[in-house]
Amino acid sequence: MDGSQMLTWGLMVIQIPAIAILLFRLLKGPFRHAPIQPQSAALEMLGTVSVVVPTLNERDRLWPCLEGLTRQSYEVREVLVVDSHSTDGTGDLVLQTAAKDPRFRLLHDDPLPPDWVGRPWALHTGFLHSSPKSEWILGIDADTQPHPGLVAGLIKMAEAEGYDLVSLSPRFILEYPGECWLQPALLMTLVYRFGPTGTVESADRVMANGQCFLTRRRVLEELEGYTTAKSSFCDDVTLARIAAQRGFKVGFWDGAPVLKVRMYEGAWQTWQEWGRSLDLKDATSPWQLWTDLWFLFSVQGLPLAVIIFGIIGAFPEGIISQTLVNLNLALLAIRFALGFAIFPSYDLSQARFSLLFWFSPLADPLAFFRILQSSFQTSIQWRGRTYSALRGNGQKGNG
């Protein structure tokens, strides 16, 4: 057996188990939880929710979030905006909102402790200052745009189905050509690893999204607030998995009908900022991390290269080589088909050259490379802060 034949067989051995796993996960799609719909508040929901919004120099994009929260009904007892000493006037914008809606309060967190990441520290501060009369704590990111009826719809569904912690995937607003091409490929790394939003995974594989993160107060009290995720750059996933391991019922649902988000400006910022946490290494064991890297390499990183090599005749002739190429053609076809499945999760009304969205499968090798790069990154810059090294896995000691 020569080198090219060994390569062909090696690729088959690597890819076939990954393809089987992918198909198993995608087949859960038709049985996923229905998307959250806007609802009107019921009288018994009066004052049951405290909303916490962490901010750091967010003035340019905070207003849609504040406006959306003012349009929530009486189920929201208070909105605590925890500002980490912004220098761009973020606090002034909050105070302007508070002058019109007394539910809003501006808080400033204490200096960041050395063993904390900024975002969970701000959320922890908000939790500690929230009213003990609120049964639910809802974390909302500053870049989100909540629709009327979001909070009521989320609370009603969570209580009706007995959930203790629920987070929502949003509808992403894309504008620039590069992000229309790259962002869906990065999102697909999550779909491939964890299945469609709203499907059920084991406790150590549950997904979460901190942009809209609802938790019963008693859950955070048992977990001592956000201390279990204090050193995690994916504190949402870390906290959700720890809660699931403790026996709480955790869900991750489609929130596109009630929540939009404008995350990053352009492809480079998307690559830098979102890519830093997509590997989820702070919420994942080393074995799971390596397994995920093998899996993404097999189903996202390889298909285009294998197809190109097949076209130029780099593989030896024979049924094995043809089978290998056909398998990767099938993977590419599945990936293009999934573009239709995730399309409702995008708002392209403001996009320039939105057609690039449909060519995002061609960015899949880059998406895999970004996950690989982030998985071994030890120094992270985030929101103007530099963290010299990750301070251990966010789940250690929390079992």
Side-chain angles (χ1 to χ4, degrees), residues 142-173:
D143 54 7
T144 60
Q145 301 178 16
H147 294 194
L150 159 67
V151 180
L154 185 53
I155 294 294
K156 281 187 176 181
M157 190 67 73
E159 290 187 335
E161 300 185 17
Y163 278 84
D164 301 301
L165 188 157
V166 176
S167 60
L168 300 182
S169 64
R171 192 176 185 202
F172 298 98
I173 301 171

mmCIF file of all heavy atoms in Angstrom, residues 142-173:
data_model
loop_
_atom_site.group_PDB
_atom_site.id
_atom_site.type_symbol
_atom_site.label_atom_id
_atom_site.label_comp_id
_atom_site.label_asym_id
_atom_site.label_seq_id
_atom_site.Cartn_x
_atom_site.Cartn_y
_atom_site.Cartn_z
ATOM 1 N N ALA A 142 -25.692 43.708 26.511
ATOM 2 C CA ALA A 142 -25.939 45.073 26.047
ATOM 3 C C ALA A 142 -26.167 45.159 24.545
ATOM 4 O O ALA A 142 -26.739 46.132 24.056
ATOM 5 C CB ALA A 142 -24.766 45.972 26.447
ATOM 6 N N ASP A 143 -25.724 44.166 23.781
ATOM 7 C CA ASP A 143 -25.870 44.228 22.330
ATOM 8 C C ASP A 143 -27.157 43.586 21.831
ATOM 9 O O ASP A 143 -27.377 43.474 20.629
ATOM 10 C CB ASP A 143 -24.668 43.591 21.625
ATOM 11 C CG ASP A 143 -24.391 42.164 22.081
ATOM 12 O OD1 ASP A 143 -25.215 41.613 22.856
ATOM 13 O OD2 ASP A 143 -23.367 41.596 21.676
ATOM 14 N N THR A 144 -28.029 43.167 22.756
ATOM 15 C CA THR A 144 -29.277 42.532 22.358
ATOM 16 C C THR A 144 -30.372 43.562 22.134
ATOM 17 O O THR A 144 -30.318 44.689 22.640
ATOM 18 C CB THR A 144 -29.756 41.526 23.415
ATOM 19 O OG1 THR A 144 -29.961 42.217 24.650
ATOM 20 C CG2 THR A 144 -28.737 40.428 23.612
ATOM 21 N N GLN A 145 -31.400 43.154 21.406
ATOM 22 C CA GLN A 145 -32.571 43.991 21.140
ATOM 23 C C GLN A 145 -33.809 43.181 21.495
ATOM 24 O O GLN A 145 -34.365 42.472 20.659
ATOM 25 C CB GLN A 145 -32.583 44.438 19.677
ATOM 26 C CG GLN A 145 -31.349 45.229 19.274
ATOM 27 C CD GLN A 145 -31.340 45.627 17.809
ATOM 28 O OE1 GLN A 145 -32.362 45.580 17.120
ATOM 29 N NE2 GLN A 145 -30.177 46.017 17.320
ATOM 30 N N PRO A 146 -34.258 43.261 22.762
ATOM 31 C CA PRO A 146 -35.417 42.468 23.191
ATOM 32 C C PRO A 146 -36.711 42.985 22.570
ATOM 33 O O PRO A 146 -36.947 44.192 22.508
ATOM 34 C CB PRO A 146 -35.434 42.662 24.716
ATOM 35 C CG PRO A 146 -34.087 43.240 25.063
ATOM 36 C CD PRO A 146 -33.642 44.002 23.866
ATOM 37 N N HIS A 147 -37.562 42.072 22.121
ATOM 38 C CA HIS A 147 -38.863 42.433 21.583
ATOM 39 C C HIS A 147 -39.890 42.481 22.712
ATOM 40 O O HIS A 147 -39.746 41.788 23.722
ATOM 41 C CB HIS A 147 -39.304 41.421 20.533
ATOM 42 C CG HIS A 147 -38.444 41.419 19.312
ATOM 43 N ND1 HIS A 147 -38.819 40.797 18.139
ATOM 44 C CD2 HIS A 147 -37.221 41.954 19.053
ATOM 45 C CE1 HIS A 147 -37.877 40.944 17.228
ATOM 46 N NE2 HIS A 147 -36.894 41.636 17.770
ATOM 47 N N PRO A 148 -40.957 43.243 22.560
ATOM 48 C CA PRO A 148 -42.036 43.206 23.558
ATOM 49 C C PRO A 148 -42.557 41.777 23.727
ATOM 50 O O PRO A 148 -42.721 41.045 22.748
ATOM 51 C CB PRO A 148 -43.109 44.110 22.943
ATOM 52 C CG PRO A 148 -42.357 45.037 22.043
ATOM 53 C CD PRO A 148 -41.224 44.220 21.483
ATOM 54 N N GLY A 149 -42.800 41.381 24.964
ATOM 55 C CA GLY A 149 -43.295 40.042 25.236
ATOM 56 C C GLY A 149 -42.221 38.991 25.395
ATOM 57 O O GLY A 149 -42.544 37.820 25.648
ATOM 58 N N LEU A 150 -40.948 39.383 25.285
ATOM 59 C CA LEU A 150 -39.859 38.420 25.445
ATOM 60 C C LEU A 150 -39.870 37.799 26.838
ATOM 61 O O LEU A 150 -39.903 36.579 26.993
ATOM 62 C CB LEU A 150 -38.513 39.103 25.196
ATOM 63 C CG LEU A 150 -37.272 38.412 25.797
ATOM 64 C CD1 LEU A 150 -37.026 37.071 25.115
ATOM 65 C CD2 LEU A 150 -36.049 39.297 25.716
ATOM 66 N N VAL A 151 -39.816 38.650 27.867
ATOM 67 C CA VAL A 151 -39.675 38.138 29.230
ATOM 68 C C VAL A 151 -40.902 37.327 29.629
ATOM 69 O O VAL A 151 -40.789 36.230 30.184
ATOM 70 C CB VAL A 151 -39.428 39.292 30.217
ATOM 71 C CG1 VAL A 151 -39.284 38.742 31.634
ATOM 72 C CG2 VAL A 151 -38.167 40.073 29.837
ATOM 73 N N ALA A 152 -42.093 37.835 29.323
ATOM 74 C CA ALA A 152 -43.314 37.116 29.682
ATOM 75 C C ALA A 152 -43.372 35.761 28.979
ATOM 76 O O ALA A 152 -43.731 34.741 29.589
ATOM 77 C CB ALA A 152 -44.538 37.954 29.337
ATOM 78 N N GLY A 153 -43.034 35.729 27.695
ATOM 79 C CA GLY A 153 -43.051 34.473 26.959
ATOM 80 C C GLY A 153 -42.062 33.469 27.505
ATOM 81 O O GLY A 153 -42.353 32.266 27.606
ATOM 82 N N LEU A 154 -40.887 33.949 27.874
ATOM 83 C CA LEU A 154 -39.847 33.075 28.409
ATOM 84 C C LEU A 154 -40.243 32.513 29.769
ATOM 85 O O LEU A 154 -40.088 31.313 30.040
ATOM 86 C CB LEU A 154 -38.538 33.859 28.501
ATOM 87 C CG LEU A 154 -37.273 33.119 28.917
ATOM 88 C CD1 LEU A 154 -37.040 31.883 28.063
ATOM 89 C CD2 LEU A 154 -36.072 34.061 28.833
ATOM 90 N N ILE A 155 -40.775 33.370 30.642
ATOM 91 C CA ILE A 155 -41.182 32.930 31.971
ATOM 92 C C ILE A 155 -42.328 31.923 31.884
ATOM 93 O O ILE A 155 -42.325 30.876 32.555
ATOM 94 C CB ILE A 155 -41.598 34.138 32.828
ATOM 95 C CG1 ILE A 155 -40.391 35.046 33.106
ATOM 96 C CG2 ILE A 155 -42.212 33.673 34.152
ATOM 97 C CD1 ILE A 155 -39.328 34.429 33.953
ATOM 98 N N LYS A 156 -43.319 32.231 31.065
ATOM 99 C CA LYS A 156 -44.466 31.326 30.942
ATOM 100 C C LYS A 156 -44.033 29.937 30.489
ATOM 101 O O LYS A 156 -44.471 28.920 31.041
ATOM 102 C CB LYS A 156 -45.489 31.907 29.957
ATOM 103 C CG LYS A 156 -46.379 32.991 30.536
ATOM 104 C CD LYS A 156 -47.460 33.386 29.536
ATOM 105 C CE LYS A 156 -48.416 34.405 30.137
ATOM 106 N NZ LYS A 156 -49.502 34.795 29.198
ATOM 107 N N MET A 157 -43.179 29.890 29.480
ATOM 108 C CA MET A 157 -42.749 28.600 28.958
ATOM 109 C C MET A 157 -41.893 27.842 29.970
ATOM 110 O O MET A 157 -42.046 26.631 30.157
ATOM 111 C CB MET A 157 -41.976 28.789 27.657
ATOM 112 C CG MET A 157 -41.694 27.491 26.899
ATOM 113 S SD MET A 157 -43.186 26.715 26.253
ATOM 114 C CE MET A 157 -43.579 27.850 24.900
ATOM 115 N N ALA A 158 -40.970 28.552 30.634
ATOM 116 C CA ALA A 158 -40.095 27.901 31.610
ATOM 117 C C ALA A 158 -40.899 27.337 32.771
ATOM 118 O O ALA A 158 -40.660 26.202 33.221
ATOM 119 C CB ALA A 158 -39.052 28.890 32.113
ATOM 120 N N GLU A 159 -41.867 28.097 33.271
ATOM 121 C CA GLU A 159 -42.664 27.625 34.401
ATOM 122 C C GLU A 159 -43.604 26.503 33.988
ATOM 123 O O GLU A 159 -43.805 25.542 34.738
ATOM 124 C CB GLU A 159 -43.440 28.792 35.007
ATOM 125 C CG GLU A 159 -42.544 29.800 35.726
ATOM 126 C CD GLU A 159 -43.334 30.850 36.474
ATOM 127 O OE1 GLU A 159 -44.505 31.100 36.084
ATOM 128 O OE2 GLU A 159 -42.791 31.427 37.427
ATOM 129 N N ALA A 160 -44.174 26.600 32.797
ATOM 130 C CA ALA A 160 -45.107 25.565 32.343
ATOM 131 C C ALA A 160 -44.416 24.218 32.181
ATOM 132 O O ALA A 160 -45.022 23.168 32.421
ATOM 133 C CB ALA A 160 -45.758 25.997 31.032
ATOM 134 N N GLU A 161 -43.128 24.242 31.796
ATOM 135 C CA GLU A 161 -42.410 22.993 31.534
ATOM 136 C C GLU A 161 -41.423 22.636 32.642
ATOM 137 O O GLU A 161 -40.668 21.677 32.518
ATOM 138 C CB GLU A 161 -41.692 23.096 30.185
ATOM 139 C CG GLU A 161 -42.647 23.347 29.019
ATOM 140 C CD GLU A 161 -41.959 23.323 27.677
ATOM 141 O OE1 GLU A 161 -40.818 22.812 27.590
ATOM 142 O OE2 GLU A 161 -42.554 23.812 26.708
ATOM 143 N N GLY A 162 -41.424 23.419 33.733
ATOM 144 C CA GLY A 162 -40.622 23.071 34.896
ATOM 145 C C GLY A 162 -39.127 23.262 34.745
ATOM 146 O O GLY A 162 -38.345 22.544 35.376
ATOM 147 N N TYR A 163 -38.717 24.237 33.934
ATOM 148 C CA TYR A 163 -37.293 24.478 33.745
ATOM 149 C C TYR A 163 -36.754 25.394 34.844
ATOM 150 O O TYR A 163 -37.455 26.279 35.347
ATOM 151 C CB TYR A 163 -37.021 25.098 32.375
ATOM 152 C CG TYR A 163 -36.960 24.067 31.261
ATOM 153 C CD1 TYR A 163 -38.132 23.612 30.648
ATOM 154 C CD2 TYR A 163 -35.752 23.522 30.854
ATOM 155 C CE1 TYR A 163 -38.084 22.654 29.643
ATOM 156 C CE2 TYR A 163 -35.694 22.568 29.853
ATOM 157 C CZ TYR A 163 -36.866 22.141 29.251
ATOM 158 O OH TYR A 163 -36.813 21.190 28.274
ATOM 159 N N ASP A 164 -35.491 25.184 35.198
ATOM 160 C CA ASP A 164 -34.819 26.003 36.203
ATOM 161 C C ASP A 164 -33.879 27.021 35.577
ATOM 162 O O ASP A 164 -33.574 28.049 36.188
ATOM 163 C CB ASP A 164 -34.006 25.112 37.147
ATOM 164 C CG ASP A 164 -34.867 24.091 37.864
ATOM 165 O OD1 ASP A 164 -35.801 24.509 38.580
ATOM 166 O OD2 ASP A 164 -34.614 22.882 37.697
ATOM 167 N N LEU A 165 -33.399 26.725 34.390
ATOM 168 C CA LEU A 165 -32.460 27.612 33.693
ATOM 169 C C LEU A 165 -32.707 27.479 32.192
ATOM 170 O O LEU A 165 -32.705 26.367 31.669
ATOM 171 C CB LEU A 165 -31.016 27.233 34.044
ATOM 172 C CG LEU A 165 -29.878 28.137 33.584
ATOM 173 C CD1 LEU A 165 -28.638 27.925 34.464
ATOM 174 C CD2 LEU A 165 -29.496 27.884 32.126
ATOM 175 N N VAL A 166 -32.941 28.597 31.545
ATOM 176 C CA VAL A 166 -33.200 28.596 30.105
ATOM 177 C C VAL A 166 -32.463 29.762 29.468
ATOM 178 O O VAL A 166 -32.478 30.880 29.984
ATOM 179 C CB VAL A 166 -34.711 28.715 29.788
ATOM 180 C CG1 VAL A 166 -34.921 28.798 28.286
ATOM 181 C CG2 VAL A 166 -35.484 27.544 30.356
ATOM 182 N N SER A 167 -31.799 29.497 28.342
ATOM 183 C CA SER A 167 -31.220 30.583 27.563
ATOM 184 C C SER A 167 -31.717 30.474 26.129
ATOM 185 O O SER A 167 -32.202 29.429 25.701
ATOM 186 C CB SER A 167 -29.693 30.558 27.612
ATOM 187 O OG SER A 167 -29.191 29.341 27.090
ATOM 188 N N LEU A 168 -31.609 31.583 25.408
ATOM 189 C CA LEU A 168 -32.161 31.661 24.060
ATOM 190 C C LEU A 168 -31.078 31.972 23.033
ATOM 191 O O LEU A 168 -30.164 32.752 23.299
ATOM 192 C CB LEU A 168 -33.228 32.755 23.976
ATOM 193 C CG LEU A 168 -34.453 32.632 24.875
ATOM 194 C CD1 LEU A 168 -35.416 33.778 24.599
ATOM 195 C CD2 LEU A 168 -35.143 31.292 24.694
ATOM 196 N N SER A 169 -31.216 31.365 21.869
ATOM 197 C CA SER A 169 -30.413 31.796 20.722
ATOM 198 C C SER A 169 -31.153 32.945 20.044
ATOM 199 O O SER A 169 -32.377 32.905 19.924
ATOM 200 C CB SER A 169 -30.209 30.637 19.737
ATOM 201 O OG SER A 169 -31.455 30.230 19.189
ATOM 202 N N PRO A 170 -30.448 33.989 19.584
ATOM 203 C CA PRO A 170 -31.108 35.162 19.027
ATOM 204 C C PRO A 170 -31.212 35.104 17.506
ATOM 205 O O PRO A 170 -30.810 34.112 16.865
ATOM 206 C CB PRO A 170 -30.162 36.285 19.439
ATOM 207 C CG PRO A 170 -28.810 35.639 19.306
ATOM 208 C CD PRO A 170 -28.994 34.192 19.710
ATOM 209 N N ARG A 171 -31.735 36.159 16.952
ATOM 210 C CA ARG A 171 -31.671 36.383 15.512
ATOM 211 C C ARG A 171 -30.535 37.370 15.267
ATOM 212 O O ARG A 171 -30.552 38.500 15.767
ATOM 213 C CB ARG A 171 -32.992 36.946 14.991
ATOM 214 C CG ARG A 171 -33.094 36.924 13.468
ATOM 215 C CD ARG A 171 -34.447 37.391 12.999
ATOM 216 N NE ARG A 171 -34.565 37.263 11.547
ATOM 217 C CZ ARG A 171 -35.424 37.941 10.812
ATOM 218 N NH1 ARG A 171 -36.254 38.808 11.387
ATOM 219 N NH2 ARG A 171 -35.477 37.759 9.512
ATOM 220 N N PHE A 172 -29.534 36.952 14.523
ATOM 221 C CA PHE A 172 -28.323 37.744 14.326
ATOM 222 C C PHE A 172 -28.525 38.789 13.227
ATOM 223 O O PHE A 172 -28.980 38.458 12.125
ATOM 224 C CB PHE A 172 -27.146 36.842 13.952
ATOM 225 C CG PHE A 172 -26.786 35.839 15.009
ATOM 226 C CD1 PHE A 172 -27.239 34.529 14.930
ATOM 227 C CD2 PHE A 172 -25.990 36.196 16.084
ATOM 228 C CE1 PHE A 172 -26.912 33.595 15.900
ATOM 229 C CE2 PHE A 172 -25.647 35.277 17.058
ATOM 230 C CZ PHE A 172 -26.119 33.969 16.968
ATOM 231 N N ILE A 173 -28.163 40.008 13.528
ATOM 232 C CA ILE A 173 -28.203 41.094 12.541
ATOM 233 C C ILE A 173 -26.825 41.190 11.886
ATOM 234 O O ILE A 173 -25.824 41.438 12.559
ATOM 235 C CB ILE A 173 -28.558 42.436 13.202
ATOM 236 C CG1 ILE A 173 -29.913 42.347 13.906
ATOM 237 C CG2 ILE A 173 -28.562 43.557 12.171
ATOM 238 C CD1 ILE A 173 -30.233 43.567 14.759
#
